[in-house]
Amino acid sequence: MIAKITGGGNTANLIRYLYDTKKAKDHVDPHLVASWDGYAPDPGRTADGFDATKRRLVADLDLRVKQAERLGRAPEKYVWHCSIRAAESDRHLSDEEWGDIARRVVAATGIAPDGDPDGCRWIAVRHAPDHIHIAATKVRGDLRTARHWNDYLTADRELAAVEKEYGLHRVVRGDRTAAKRPTRAEQEKALRAGQDLTARERLRTTVQGAVAAATSTEEFLRLLQQTDGVLVSVKHFPSGDVRGYTVAVRGDTNSKGEPIWYSGSSLSPDLSLPKIQKRLDAMEKRQSARGTNPWHQATAATERIPHHLDHGDEAAGQAQLAALGEAFDALRFVAPRDVQLQLRQAAKVFDRATRSRIRADHEHALALRGAIRAMVRTPAPQDSALLAMFLDAAILAVIAAARWHEARHHDQQVVAARQTVAHLEAVYERTAAAPLAARAQNRPPQQAVQRNVELLRQIVPSHVEQIMEDPAFDALIAVLADGEKAGHDPARLLRQAADHRALEDARRPARVLTWRVERLSARQVQSDRARAAMSRSSLQPVSAPAQPGAPAPAAAAPASAQTPGHRVRR
């Protein structure tokens, strides 16, 4: 059920609308289903004359307003109007049920609290099968104005309880953390200009992209200022420190020809300068592991998100989701043109799943966020395999995000996450086809295939049939064989790939294992080279002899182990 609440200053006009059956074609048989005392005159059920009864009803509703006016205490807009509509799939409620719902809503909102003899006067009119209108005057019996602050939220909470008790369709409800929607005027202006997005939406996307690419507040502002078509105004304290920023689309002006400026917080709650600074300050302290492929780093960090969501605290989980949202914002800088539009859609939809009432502790997501920024600064890969590898991990992370939000009753975030999966899978299908086919061409001899099938039966017995039926099966066998040629133990690679994250969420587990085995093979080769290089360096003479009895220096860890959180579960 959805409630819409408005105000006004003329009771007669509202009653005239509610009982009109000529102009409004959906108004059929208007009549009262409830009122403040159960005895209000009903123009729809009267034998005394329709117009005369309407005038009596208006006079009864306005009685206390007129009394308050004589004392100079009546509010200017004294009419409270709430329409309540059921879902199309809901059964038709009886008049008695609608009357009960109306009484619950006026009590919950403070218009007529239960047991309060001085509650406001109100009526509930039903003139269509699927909705009612509640009309009330906001002057109480003691001539004070009703206290109905946050009436939309209190009505919405009561209607959520009604849906559950009456077995009605459960409406997806938000938590007031969503980005501000464009106004109708903004939408119409964009339509006249031939733009798909409003100025507010375009600026939000631009700012989010700058946050995803920046490593400091200074760089964030610089990236904004370097963006074509965007005006930036930076506000400073008297001390010279940055206080805030506003942005505008070049050419988007008001009636005076002045740019229409938007603060960061008006674009989205998490884009105010203090919140951006909090996210970026930690990045200045972290350095990405040198010599490590940032795509592999980002993929590894993304693969760990489901584990963090399942086993970490809520602040850490919220930080992981925010970082994943930044990753999607950043992909548009490095992805091929033919998938950029779909990726932008995924980022736009997932943006709703990155915010909730839970405050993120961004220190817990430094590995992914550091890899994202390194990825943006790396030349775009010619082979789409790296993007496909990351998307494969991201799909499972978003599925886990939907499950995490569902457990916390974050309804809008659940819907957003599920919609994001559809966008990502569409991009993945376009991106992964060629690299998987190329790998499948290197299928090893049948003897090696059979040997690896036996490994699959031992290591992932519950998934082996699904894996063998997957079109990516040949690619998996090929990368296992390539790993073995490079000197790796295929059983160890496969076990690490399977243990790294449970495969229950994977619709096609063969492709998941393919990318993990390939990435693990490459990373372990890099680690072996690093160990060999350090071993050689240990044989070189040092400039000064070691002191007698001094402990030998500890060998440095390989590059992959130096990055926090990048250990592979064994």
Side-chain angles (χ1 to χ4, degrees):
M1 285 188 159
I2 298 293
K4 180 180 179 182
I5 298 175
T6 57
N10 192 308
T11 308
N13 285 345
L14 178 55
I15 298 302
R16 188 179 302 115
Y17 163 75
L18 295 181
Y19 280 91
D20 173 56
T21 57
K22 296 179 181 179
K23 294 182 181 179
K25 296 181 179 180
D26 63 335
H27 291 194
V28 180
D29 187 26
H31 59 280
L32 293 184
V33 294
S35 66
W36 74 93
D37 62 358
Y39 297 102
D42 183 1
R45 297 288 187 269
T46 182
D48 299 336
F50 181 73
D51 290 334
T53 307
K54 276 200 305 184
R55 287 193 293 271
R56 283 171 46 213
L57 178 60
V58 171
D60 286 352
L61 286 170
D62 281 348
L63 175 64
R64 293 168 177 172
V65 177
K66 300 301 182 184
Q67 292 172 344
E69 282 178 347
R70 297 189 192 100
L71 301 175
R73 294 166 56 180
E76 182 179 354
K77 291 190 174 183
Y78 55 84
V79 176
W80 187 84
H81 176 204
C82 175
S83 61
I84 305 173
R85 185 177 297 273
E88 291 183 4
S89 58
D90 285 339
R91 62 181 174 84
H92 284 183
L93 302 175
S94 66
D95 283 355
E96 291 74 19
E97 289 173 317
W98 275 120
D100 176 60
I101 292 169
R103 281 185 284 271
R104 292 175 63 164
V105 169
V106 294
T109 55
I111 293 296
D114 284 335
D116 184 353
D118 289 326
C120 298
R121 294 192 167 194
W122 61 273
I123 60 170
V125 177
R126 183 181 190 180
H127 56 204
D130 62 348
H131 70 276
I132 61 170
H133 292 261
I134 303 174
T137 47
K138 297 191 293 186
V139 178
R140 292 165 42 83
D142 53 15
L143 302 188
R144 292 186 294 125
T145 301
R147 299 164 64 92
H148 60 98
W149 295 310
N150 288 325
D151 49 9
Y152 172 77
L153 292 178
T154 52
D156 197 50
R157 281 198 292 267
E158 189 63 32
L159 291 178
V162 167
E163 291 167 355
K164 185 176 180 180
E165 294 173 24
Y166 279 71
L168 305 176
H169 171 72
R170 306 287 291 275
V171 174
V172 174
R173 289 179 163 82
D175 54 9
R176 306 186 77 183
T177 60
K180 185 176 180 180
R181 293 182 179 181
T183 65
R184 185 171 182 177
E186 291 171 352
Q187 293 173 331
E188 292 175 349
K189 187 175 184 180
L191 190 62
R192 290 195 300 271
Q195 297 287 344
D196 294 334
L197 300 175
T198 65
R200 185 189 300 275
E201 292 171 317
R202 290 156 61 191
L203 291 170
R204 183 186 303 133
T205 300
T206 299
V207 173
Q208 288 172 331
V211 173
T215 57
S216 66
T217 304
E218 292 73 19
E219 186 179 15
F220 160 70
L221 293 173
R222 186 168 64 251
L223 289 173
L224 275 185
Q225 292 166 336
Q226 294 171 352
T227 303
D228 292 337
V230 175
L231 302 175
V232 183
S233 176
V234 181
K235 315 297 181 184
H236 294 86
F237 289 109
S239 63
D241 294 333
V242 177
R243 177 170 60 88
Y245 72 98
T246 55
V247 287
V249 173
R250 190 181 299 277
D252 181 37
T253 58
N254 57 22
S255 58
K256 298 180 181 179
E258 302 167 336
I260 299 176
W261 295 97
Y262 297 85
S263 65
S265 58
S266 70
L267 300 177
S268 178
D270 58 340
L271 294 182
S272 65
L273 187 64
K275 291 187 177 180
I276 290 174
Q277 286 175 322
K278 190 173 182 180
R279 292 156 69 183
L280 294 181
D281 284 349
M283 296 306 303
E284 297 185 71
K285 305 172 186 176
R286 186 184 190 281
Q287 297 295 325
S288 179
R290 294 183 179 180
T292 304
N293 187 317
W295 285 87
H296 286 184
Q297 282 185 286
T299 302
T302 302
E303 281 183 340
R304 287 192 295 276
I305 288 177
H307 176 80
H308 291 307
L309 295 178
D310 290 342
H311 303 288
D313 60 31
E314 290 190 331
Q318 184 65 47
Q320 295 290 335
L321 298 184
L324 185 58
E326 289 183 15
F328 295 151
D329 290 329
L331 282 181
R332 64 191 178 93
F333 295 112
V334 292
R337 286 183 176 273
D338 62 333
V339 295
Q340 284 185 4
L341 179 60
Q342 192 90 42
L343 284 173
R344 281 200 296 270
Q345 282 296 107
K348 180 180 178 181
V349 174
F350 190 69
D351 179 64
R352 183 67 190 98
T354 63
R355 290 191 230 98
S356 72
R357 289 286 183 186
I358 300 168
R359 181 170 296 183
D361 184 351
H362 294 291
E363 294 285 339
H364 288 277
L366 293 182
L368 175 55
R369 296 172 70 231
I372 293 165
R373 283 147 180 81
M375 192 171 69
V376 172
R377 287 162 173 74
T378 303
Q382 298 298 317
D383 184 3
S384 61
L386 290 175
L387 176 58
M389 187 183 298
F390 175 79
L391 289 174
D392 184 73
I395 289 169
L396 294 184
V398 176
I399 291 173
R403 188 168 55 243
W404 187 82
H405 281 305
E406 188 171 22
R408 289 154 182 81
H409 307 289
H410 300 163
D411 295 338
Q412 288 188 352
Q413 291 88 333
V414 172
V415 173
R418 290 173 177 168
Q419 291 174 343
T420 304
V421 170
H423 287 295
L424 293 179
E425 286 186 335
V427 179
Y428 176 84
E429 295 299 334
R430 297 182 62 179
T431 304
L436 285 175
R439 283 149 180 77
Q441 290 177 356
N442 297 326
R443 180 186 171 106
Q446 187 60 32
Q447 184 179 1
V449 172
Q450 191 58 41
R451 188 168 63 250
N452 284 325
V453 168
E454 290 304 316
L455 288 178
L456 288 168
R457 294 189 188 281
Q458 296 172 20
I459 296 169
V460 284
S462 60
H463 299 283
V464 65
E465 298 302 328
Q466 189 180 3
I467 290 171
M468 293 179 66
E469 294 172 359
D470 194 319
F473 172 70
D474 286 344
L476 172 59
I477 296 299
V479 296
L480 280 169
D482 290 343
E484 187 173 10
K485 289 178 183 177
H488 299 299
D489 177 5
R492 182 166 175 263
L493 284 176
L494 189 57
R495 189 171 289 106
Q496 288 179 332
D499 289 347
H500 204 65
R501 172 72 180 98
L503 298 176
E504 283 74 16
D505 289 337
R507 188 162 55 91
R508 295 182 182 175
R511 67 183 189 182
V512 176
L513 292 174
T514 298
W515 299 125
R516 290 178 183 172
V517 168
E518 181 168 305
R519 184 172 54 80
L520 288 168
S521 299
R523 189 168 65 182
Q524 289 176 3
V525 166
Q526 292 173 348
S527 299
D528 292 342
R529 290 173 180 169
R531 281 192 289 268
M534 284 183 283
S535 177
R536 288 194 299 272
S537 66
S538 67
L539 299 177
Q540 300 297 323
V542 293
S543 57
Q547 296 297 321
S560 62
Q562 292 173 9
T563 305
H566 278 250
R567 296 188 300 274
V568 178
R569 289 168 53 188
R570 304 186 186 280

